[in-house]
Amino acid sequence: MIKSRTNFFFYFSILGGILIWFFILLISPVYIVNEISNQTFLFISLCYTSLIVGYVLSFRVLKRKETINPRKEVVIPINIIKVITYFIILCFIIRYIDIFYFRSLRFSNTIYQNRFLFKNGEYNFIFIVSNVFKTLYFVPLLLISLVKKKNNFLFFLSISLFFFPFLEAVLMGSRSPFLQSFVLLTIILFFTKKIKFNKKTFLFLITSLLVLFIISTQILISREGPKNKNPYSHLVKNAIYNDFLKPKSEIVDFMIDPNVSNLKKNVALSGLQVGQYYTHGVFEFDNLLRYYEHNHFKKQYGKFTFFVFPKFTNYLNLTKINIDEINKSSPREYVFITFFGGLYLDFGWSGLIVIFLLGYLQGIVSKKITIKNYYYAPLFIFFIFTNFFLLTINFFRGAGTYTFISCIIFAVILSYLIKLKLNEKGIST
């Protein structure tokens, strides 16, 4: 049943995210510099509670409002899925034209050169739109799997879309696209029952994830490792994560040992940085709370998490909001502060109300899918994805804002188009 499936994925995204976070921290070759404060633990615990309460309450409220109309599956025509797929491919093509031709990013450049060129390039409205909607690359596979219509070519295209973000990730030296594509693909395949969880599947997923992180680590080594020095030692000793999650002496000695092969160092460095990358956000958030115990705190009211909106209104000359000042509300830039860090910077302890409403919204979307309104499925998958990483990354921020808004726009437009088609056939909606 769809209802039991959506509920399972909601609760699993929360519990699974917490358990995976603790497991990775446990096996990582690091030690915690500062223990988590009671205030941090309380805020995170209450946030999780508020999210779940909002979800459960929305289901109870909506259950009272259910109509007696029979539930009919809203069929999404295969032609619409084709149009969506080709549109997303076009968005990626436009994105590549922007970064290679207009911004002059190159594989021969260093990561810092590419990031500088990207940041200082001129913005164009068409490029902005394509960048927003390319984040829906996971939607075609989700839809074609839900409607269960066989089309091998379209299925192949929908799978290939998950690899499109890797190109930009390599250019910019970012690991997030690797993680995001892999996890979204995994969630969709399980949610649509394309694969089942067993020992063989588990081993395949773990192996694939490990390979992706080794590749991404190699990218960092080749791009950021200083010349004429041991890049492994450099990346271990100078990682920004070290301030709160310090590498154990054994791993440092391993990296500087000239008798250890580079392959083994690559694997070891991947393990270390995966652990730090994945878990350091909680300790950064703890530092954030400690910082504002002694410094003036100014709520951003959504501008920190959804900074792309003031950035866009600045582009249109409607506002003159200082984006750098907003970003600097986090005491340490360029680190993850979890979802809860962004929530706190935006709303303080009032964020508990906001995350309650987020849980309520997730319940509404889940209910829509229960009655087989599948055009809400992308938004639901996005919520499941963000829930899983609440302790790691705020995927509502930056490109995640594009995904969030794109999923909403997608649901509204597709809902309207399908209703038009049903009305043309004389079917009441």
Side-chain angles (χ1 to χ4, degrees):
M1 290 178 63
I2 291 289
K3 180 179 179 180
S4 60
R5 208 187 313 171
T6 55
N7 285 341
F8 170 80
F9 272 81
F10 171 78
Y11 291 113
F12 177 79
S13 68
I14 294 173
L15 181 60
I18 295 172
L19 292 177
I20 291 294
W21 186 90
F22 275 106
F23 175 74
I24 291 177
L25 179 64
L26 184 65
I27 65 173
S28 297
V30 297
Y31 64 89
I32 300 170
V33 176
N34 298 312
E35 293 295 330
I36 297 296
S37 67
N38 292 332
Q39 181 182 212
T40 302
F41 179 80
L42 180 62
F43 187 85
I44 292 176
S45 300
L46 290 177
C47 280
Y48 273 117
T49 303
S50 297
L51 181 68
I52 294 172
V53 170
Y55 182 86
V56 173
L57 186 61
S58 73
F59 255 87
R60 292 187 177 182
V61 171
L62 291 169
K63 189 174 182 180
R64 299 194 198 104
K65 296 182 178 181
E66 279 186 334
T67 64
I68 60 173
N69 293 331
R71 296 174 181 176
K72 295 181 179 180
E73 182 176 350
V74 179
V75 179
I76 301 176
I78 196 72
N79 287 336
I80 288 183
I81 300 177
K82 286 181 181 178
V83 171
I84 294 168
T85 304
Y86 297 144
F87 173 71
I88 294 171
I89 292 174
L90 177 63
C91 287
F92 272 104
I93 292 173
I94 294 173
R95 177 65 166 179
Y96 296 155
I97 292 172
D98 178 25
I99 62 178
F100 283 115
Y101 183 76
F102 288 96
R103 298 179 189 265
S104 300
L105 273 67
R106 297 289 184 269
F107 288 106
S108 57
N109 293 342
T110 65
I111 286 174
Y112 298 112
Q113 287 173 329
N114 281 334
R115 288 180 175 178
F116 176 82
L117 290 170
F118 182 84
K119 183 179 180 181
N120 292 278
E122 293 185 7
Y123 288 91
N124 181 287
F125 184 75
I126 295 177
F127 295 148
I128 293 174
V129 171
S130 66
N131 190 36
V132 170
F133 287 104
K134 75 178 177 60
T135 60
L136 293 176
Y137 63 86
F138 66 94
V139 171
L141 177 64
L142 175 62
L143 295 183
I144 198 171
S145 299
L146 285 173
V147 300
K148 298 177 181 178
K149 290 187 177 181
K150 192 172 182 180
N151 187 312
N152 291 335
F153 178 70
L154 190 57
F155 184 79
F156 170 77
L157 279 182
S158 65
I159 288 287
S160 67
L161 283 173
F162 283 82
F163 296 92
F164 280 37
F166 291 179
L167 186 149
E168 189 172 337
V170 172
L171 286 168
M172 304 289 285
S174 174
R175 292 186 173 194
S176 296
F178 289 94
L179 179 65
Q180 184 173 351
S181 294
F182 177 82
V183 175
L184 279 172
L185 178 60
T186 303
I187 291 173
I188 290 171
L189 292 177
F190 277 116
F191 183 73
T192 58
K193 295 185 176 181
K194 286 291 184 181
I195 57 174
K196 295 182 179 180
F197 186 80
N198 52 44
K199 185 178 180 181
K200 185 182 294 186
T201 304
F202 175 76
L203 291 175
F204 176 77
L205 292 175
I206 293 298
T207 303
S208 301
L209 189 58
L210 179 61
V211 169
L212 282 177
F213 272 107
I214 289 176
I215 292 172
S216 63
T217 299
Q218 188 59 49
I219 292 169
L220 284 179
I221 291 170
S222 62
R223 299 293 184 179
E224 295 191 19
K227 296 180 180 180
N228 303 318
K229 290 185 179 180
N230 184 340
Y232 301 97
S233 175
H234 171 78
L235 290 169
V236 167
K237 292 180 178 179
N238 297 284
I240 195 171
Y241 318 123
N242 293 1
D243 293 338
F244 302 114
L245 282 178
K246 208 165 187 64
K248 292 181 178 178
S249 58
E250 307 93 271
I251 191 73
V252 176
D253 294 339
F254 185 84
M255 289 299 174
I256 63 177
D257 189 344
N259 297 317
V260 178
S261 69
N262 285 345
L263 176 60
K264 290 181 179 179
K265 289 181 179 180
N266 195 329
V267 174
L269 182 61
S270 295
L272 170 65
Q273 292 216 330
V274 166
Q276 291 178 307
Y277 174 91
Y278 199 90
T279 61
H280 80 279
V282 171
F283 303 96
E284 294 286 353
F285 173 51
D286 181 67
N287 175 69
L288 184 153
L289 289 182
R290 295 175 191 269
Y291 175 83
Y292 280 114
E293 285 181 353
H294 308 288
N295 294 275
H296 173 68
F297 177 58
K298 178 183 177 182
K299 296 178 184 178
Q300 297 298 326
Y301 295 103
K303 292 195 299 292
F304 181 83
T305 297
F306 300 107
F307 74 91
V308 296
F309 288 113
K311 189 175 180 180
F312 183 66
T313 55
N314 284 354
Y315 168 75
L316 297 176
N317 292 320
L318 298 176
T319 57
K320 293 183 179 180
I321 299 172
N322 190 328
I323 304 299
D324 288 335
E325 184 178 320
I326 293 173
N327 291 331
K328 288 178 181 177
S329 59
S330 177
R332 281 161 51 90
E333 294 186 74
Y334 309 114
V335 293
F336 297 150
I337 54 173
T338 74
F339 168 83
F340 308 109
L343 185 68
Y344 183 83
L345 288 175
D346 281 326
F347 304 103
W349 284 85
S350 301
L352 295 174
I353 299 173
V354 176
I355 200 169
F356 167 83
L357 295 175
L358 177 61
Y360 195 92
L361 176 60
Q362 292 189 32
I364 294 174
V365 173
S366 178
K367 190 68 174 179
K368 293 289 186 180
I369 299 173
T370 299
I371 58 177
K372 298 183 177 180
N373 289 344
Y374 288 144
Y375 36 80
Y376 288 94
L379 186 57
F380 178 76
I381 293 298
F382 174 72
F383 283 144
I384 296 305
F385 175 80
T386 55
N387 287 349
F388 192 86
F389 292 105
L390 290 177
L391 287 172
T392 303
I393 308 173
N394 184 359
F395 275 110
F396 280 93
R397 195 167 193 262
T401 303
Y402 299 152
T403 310
F404 182 43
I405 298 303
S406 297
C407 286
I408 294 174
I409 294 173
F410 171 85
V412 171
I413 293 176
L414 197 58
S415 172
Y416 176 74
L417 292 176
I418 290 175
K419 284 182 179 180
L420 279 181
K421 188 167 185 177
L422 292 176
N423 288 335
E424 287 175 0
K425 294 181 178 180
I427 301 175
S428 175
T429 58

